[in-house]
Amino acid sequence: SPDARWVASGSNDHTVRVWEPATGEVLSVGEGHTSLVLSVAFSPDGRWLASGSFDRTVRVWEASTGQTLWVGERHSSGVTVVAFSPDGGSLISGSYDGTVRVWDTTVGQHIRVAKAHASDVHSAAWSPSGAWVASGCGGGELCVWEAATGQVMWDRGGHAGGVSHVVFSPDG
């Protein structure tokens, strides 16, 4: 969690778990995915945990209880990455279907899709301001787009292999 109180994990057993890092005690278990969990992320305030699964869904959980708050079912393939916006009001999810989707975190409503990649999305990240999203795919492309509109700012190749991780500098 952002305050380092908890550690979260997603597993091939289809669950997400929140742990107490000093003792290893399991604090909550989230059940509901029907396939392996590929990604987990805490909200900026640490109250919620998002997960993406090979079952093609995005789930947002109450971190302290493991209770499902909402389920997003718009991807046509496994969800490889989830990340909350800096203000916690939005969530992005990337998938093997080549899309990055934006969700309203308060109600789980799908807001928009950015279909910027010709192959599977491996990574996605918000800029510190929340204005941009960067995403990387298995085809070696990196894309930066406007979070508010989904408009692609630029899309470039350059890597000889898939882009496994993207991150913005902390100063934006």
Side-chain angles (χ1 to χ4, degrees):
S1 58
D3 60 4
R5 275 188 7 196
W6 299 330
V7 174
S9 60
S11 174
N12 290 356
D13 69 4
H14 311 176
T15 67
V16 298
R17 294 176 188 262
V18 175
W19 308 76
E20 202 289 321
T23 65
E25 178 186 354
V26 176
L27 302 174
S28 68
V29 178
E31 297 177 323
H33 282 299
T34 60
S35 190
L36 58 127
V37 177
L38 300 172
S39 181
V40 294
F42 276 106
S43 62
D45 64 7
R47 287 182 32 227
W48 297 339
L49 182 67
S51 59
S53 171
F54 199 71
D55 67 8
R56 305 175 303 185
T57 67
V58 174
R59 288 181 177 264
V60 173
W61 316 80
E62 183 74 37
S64 63
T65 66
Q67 178 183 357
T68 300
L69 300 175
W70 58 265
V71 180
E73 299 180 330
R74 293 288 186 109
H75 286 287
S76 62
S77 193
V79 179
T80 57
V81 60
V82 290
F84 282 93
S85 62
D87 69 3
S90 298
L91 178 80
I92 53 174
S93 59
S95 171
Y96 287 124
D97 66 12
T99 64
V100 177
R101 296 181 180 272
V102 181
W103 307 84
D104 177 320
T105 58
T106 57
V107 294
Q109 180 179 359
H110 180 256
I111 299 171
R112 77 185 53 82
V113 61
K115 176 77 169 124
H117 297 287
S119 67
D120 47 320
V121 175
H122 288 194
S123 183
W126 292 89
S127 66
S129 68
W132 297 334
V133 171
S135 54
C137 76
E141 296 171 319
L142 176 65
C143 178
V144 174
W145 46 281
E146 290 183 346
T149 65
Q151 179 180 349
V152 175
M153 303 298 294
W154 56 266
D155 185 1
R156 304 281 189 277
H159 288 280
V163 177
S164 57
H165 196 78
V166 297
V167 64
F168 282 91
S169 62
D171 58 3

